[in-house]
Amino acid sequence: MGSGAPPRDPGPEATLREVLAFDEEGALRLLLAPGGVDVEVRGVSFGDEAPRSRAGHLVLAVGASAGRAEAAGAVERAARSGASAVVLREAEEESGPGPAPDVLAAADRSGIALLVRAAWTDWTDTAALLRSALDYHRAARTGQARGADATGEATPGTAGDVPGRGGLECGGTEEAGPRGGGPGEGADPAAGGSDGPAGALAALAASIAEATGGSITIEDTRFRVLAHSATRPEADGVRRSTILGGRVPEWRVAELRRSGLLRTLWTSREVIHRPADGDSPERLVIAVRSGAELLGSIWAAADGRPLSPEAGRALRRGAVVAARHLLGQRLRESGAVRRRDHALRGLLYGEGDRRTHAWSLGLAPDAPCAVLAVAPVAAGPDAARTLDVLAPHARAYRPSVLVLREPDRLLVLLPVPAGLPPEAREREALAPARELERVAAALPGGVPVRAGVGRVAGSAAEAAEACTEAALVVRVLRDRERRARGGGAPARFASAGAVGPALDVLRMAEAVRPLWESGDGPVHRLARSDRAAGGELLRSAAAYLDAAGDVAEAARRLVLHPNTLRYRLRRLRERYDVDVDDPDTRVLLTLAVRLTGDV
């Protein structure tokens, strides 16, 4: 272990015992704990991050398998950094039935707890689980501290900082073992029991209802109702139809999108107030999160009586407790989610049996569909956060919508009603693209996006062609914006039909790319050397071609004096033997600009 006592952070921490008790689904398995399970866990780190002190951290050794002897090095490195525990990938069958002896020996010798990650989950889910466990126990202990009087004993009626029946407890039982026992005296009343996860979530909804004085629904990001409190006779029609249908009605979701409330909900950590409006009573809502990850929401409606003055605080505490259950549900569904994403990726990329993929996604293979490609105009953390917000927004557009979240873009599959004329089909497909572009533009700190829509495919089995076309439309929008260089507000969404000629040119350019890359000559040498020098000459030639040989217009677009542009064009002839007045050379120059990227 690292030398010297690690500096303590302010605030309460969790133990390894508590972290493991949080894992109701068995995503983690403890192999060895030389120092016991009450060692402190202060954070979660990935093993491939830059070397630094990880005092008290739980380190995820991505890529290291417990069944391979070389994983002992990852265990020892984690121990030297001060980590209290390390997680390896579960041993593969070919490496043997269990952990390698060298790995166990390294953990025992280093005094570090050793865990393995179940094969059915992944590192992203594991990190989310662990961070949620830490947030959960920190919030619990903070609440208990606030509820203690001067003698250090809990003040009656303030458990968890939430008024109501026993409060919303967040702590675990002291007697729980590493795998987490069933609820007992002092256990979280919403943590489970004989009724299982669904019963625990229903108990939580009932507890929040008593604390807020309202009617409660707990929903996931697709607006499916996971739990609800008892419905009073005074409940409004929206609540009754939501509970009976098992999800928020589609028209209601559309109304929430148009009003901007969904955008606020997905980006805020605060309780949001929605005043009474006609027959719709006052409502409070808060997002349920695990760290930065959005899991769902809790809604409180003032059905027949006013909400408690403490309702906002109750919802905040309830969201902390609900995160555990919603994360557990997400982990339970993770296998199904991965199978769905695999089928959707196969359908959109044309891999495997397309008809089988369509059936597994609940789509009739001969049903028409559209594909949207949505990409940020710039990369970076803000772009990733923007896509994280747009993904649930796209799913909420319609229950049948399918969304594939890729690292640098979203792909959205939108079933289109059969029997619509071509113009109506295009409008149907373009509507969500327009909405997603507007949502991104309005996000605080968000990154604008470009959204392209391919031609509506006649069947789901043809979705791959529509996906390829949607991605090309995004490229057309990008190229047009770059060439415009400040000439007015850029178009950020479009359909394939709206950019027809540019789309055809881009397709043809891609078709001849192998010929271009294998060729040589003056234009090729110009493209290679001038781009390395900053692209001044190639950029000037591109502007000259775009202006159809009008030097004055090209110079205006480049913000240059016309004589400066004429000088650059002469340099093309003198240095590279490239004559921009030769028709064949102009074709090659156009290809050079299209295929090597805008300069």
Side-chain angles (χ1 to χ4, degrees):
M1 299 287 284
S3 60
R8 290 191 57 85
D9 297 334
E13 300 301 333
T15 66
L16 181 60
R17 180 194 300 273
E18 291 169 327
V19 170
L20 290 170
F22 186 88
D23 174 25
E24 295 176 338
E25 305 307 315
L28 296 170
R29 184 160 59 93
L30 179 65
L31 297 182
L32 194 68
V37 292
D38 290 316
V39 295
E40 189 178 60
V41 179
R42 309 183 64 79
V44 179
S45 302
F46 282 94
D48 55 359
E49 293 174 352
R52 59 183 175 84
S53 172
R54 297 191 178 98
H57 275 222
L58 203 158
V59 173
L60 308 182
V62 178
S65 169
R68 299 185 179 277
E70 54 265 30
V75 174
E76 291 169 347
R77 286 192 296 274
R80 285 197 298 271
S81 71
S84 55
V86 60
V87 182
L88 305 178
R89 193 173 71 246
E90 196 168 43
E92 301 91 346
E93 289 184 7
E94 60 269 22
S95 63
D102 288 353
V103 174
L104 291 172
D108 192 32
R109 186 170 56 250
S110 304
I112 188 172
L114 178 63
L115 301 93
V116 290
R117 187 208 82 199
W120 54 263
T121 189
D122 62 15
W123 291 114
T124 301
D125 285 344
T126 304
L129 169 72
L130 294 170
R131 286 171 178 149
S132 208
L134 294 179
D135 289 345
Y136 183 84
H137 287 287
R138 284 168 182 160
R141 294 185 180 186
T142 300
Q144 291 163 0
R146 285 200 298 266
D149 61 17
T151 67
E153 298 188 3
T155 304
T158 62
D161 223 14
V162 179
R165 186 178 53 213
L168 300 178
E169 296 283 356
C170 295
T173 170
E174 287 297 316
E175 309 330 308
R179 294 260 40 89
E185 186 176 355
D188 177 358
S194 59
D195 291 336
L201 210 53
L204 175 61
S207 184
I208 300 174
E210 185 166 339
T212 60
S215 296
I216 300 298
T217 56
I218 302 176
E219 302 164 9
D220 64 11
T221 56
R222 294 183 70 89
F223 301 98
R224 296 178 300 180
V225 177
L226 305 178
H228 62 86
S229 62
T231 302
R232 298 191 185 93
E234 302 88 351
D236 65 304
V238 172
R239 175 174 170 81
R240 281 195 291 268
S241 61
T242 295
I243 292 173
L244 288 174
R247 61 169 289 120
V248 181
E250 194 172 330
W251 64 265
R252 176 67 162 183
V253 177
E255 175 190 285
L256 296 174
R257 283 201 319 270
R258 288 193 298 269
S259 69
L261 188 140
L262 284 191
R263 182 173 64 246
T264 303
L265 175 62
W266 297 152
T267 56
S268 174
R269 294 181 177 272
E270 299 303 319
V271 175
I272 299 165
H273 178 244
R274 185 178 173 90
D277 183 16
D279 295 334
S280 179
E282 174 190 16
R283 279 179 166 81
L284 296 178
V285 57
I286 188 169
V288 179
R289 299 178 182 276
S290 171
E293 183 178 8
L294 182 69
L295 301 174
S297 56
I298 304 177
W299 295 73
D303 289 343
R305 60 179 181 178
L307 293 173
S308 162
E310 299 293 327
R313 178 186 294 182
L315 280 181
R316 282 190 289 271
R317 297 290 296 159
V320 173
V321 180
R324 171 179 183 173
H325 302 291
L326 268 62
L327 181 64
Q329 177 189 343
R330 205 201 73 159
L331 291 171
R332 285 189 293 275
E333 294 179 346
S334 61
V337 169
R338 289 194 189 90
R339 288 191 295 273
R340 185 208 65 194
D341 284 353
H342 173 76
L344 183 56
R345 185 174 287 105
L347 197 62
L348 295 177
Y349 283 91
E351 300 169 349
D353 187 333
R354 301 187 191 188
R355 294 182 65 83
T356 300
H357 289 326
W359 283 122
S360 67
L361 291 167
L363 301 171
D366 57 351
C369 63
V371 178
L372 288 66
V374 182
V377 302
D382 289 339
R385 284 191 289 270
T386 298
L387 292 178
D388 288 340
V389 173
L390 293 185
H393 211 91
R395 293 188 187 101
Y397 186 78
R398 190 177 296 160
S400 57
V401 166
L402 296 167
V403 179
L404 184 63
R405 168 70 161 90
E406 296 195 312
D408 57 351
R409 66 177 181 175
L410 295 180
L411 295 177
V412 182
L413 182 69
L414 174 72
V416 175
L420 291 178
E423 299 81 6
R425 284 187 174 191
E426 184 170 314
R427 287 196 301 272
E428 180 83 6
L430 196 59
R434 179 186 296 109
E435 181 170 317
L436 292 175
E437 188 275 332
R438 288 176 178 171
V439 170
L443 284 177
V447 174
V449 297
R450 300 184 184 96
V453 184
R455 290 184 177 85
V456 176
S459 70
E462 300 168 10
E465 291 75 13
C467 180
T468 299
E469 197 168 62
L472 290 176
V473 173
V474 171
R475 287 181 55 186
V476 169
L477 294 174
R478 181 199 65 191
D479 292 346
R480 285 183 171 179
E481 185 173 343
R482 287 178 175 178
R483 290 199 300 272
R485 300 193 185 280
R492 290 276 169 77
F493 64 91
S495 64
V499 298
L503 193 60
D504 291 337
V505 169
L506 193 54
R507 277 202 194 93
M508 287 186 281
E510 288 301 311
V512 302
R513 181 181 290 278
L515 290 174
W516 164 264
E517 291 176 347
S518 64
D520 197 8
V523 176
H524 290 79
R525 289 192 290 273
L526 165 66
R528 286 193 296 268
S529 62
D530 189 58
R531 281 180 61 80
E536 180 183 87
L537 295 180
L538 198 59
R539 185 161 52 245
S540 299
Y544 179 76
L545 296 172
D546 284 347
D550 186 332
V551 171
E553 174 60 19
R556 185 190 66 79
R557 295 181 185 182
L558 291 169
V559 196
L560 292 175
H561 191 281
N563 287 341
T564 303
L565 179 57
R566 292 188 183 97
Y567 168 72
R568 290 182 181 178
L569 296 177
R570 283 198 304 273
R571 287 172 62 196
L572 288 174
R573 294 187 184 92
E574 296 166 359
R575 181 178 298 182
Y576 296 102
D577 195 24
V578 172
D579 183 2
V580 294
D581 293 325
D582 175 68
D584 293 334
T585 300
R586 288 201 298 269
V587 172
L588 282 177
L589 274 172
T590 300
L591 282 174
V593 172
R594 298 277 183 175
L595 295 176
T596 61
D598 194 14
V599 291

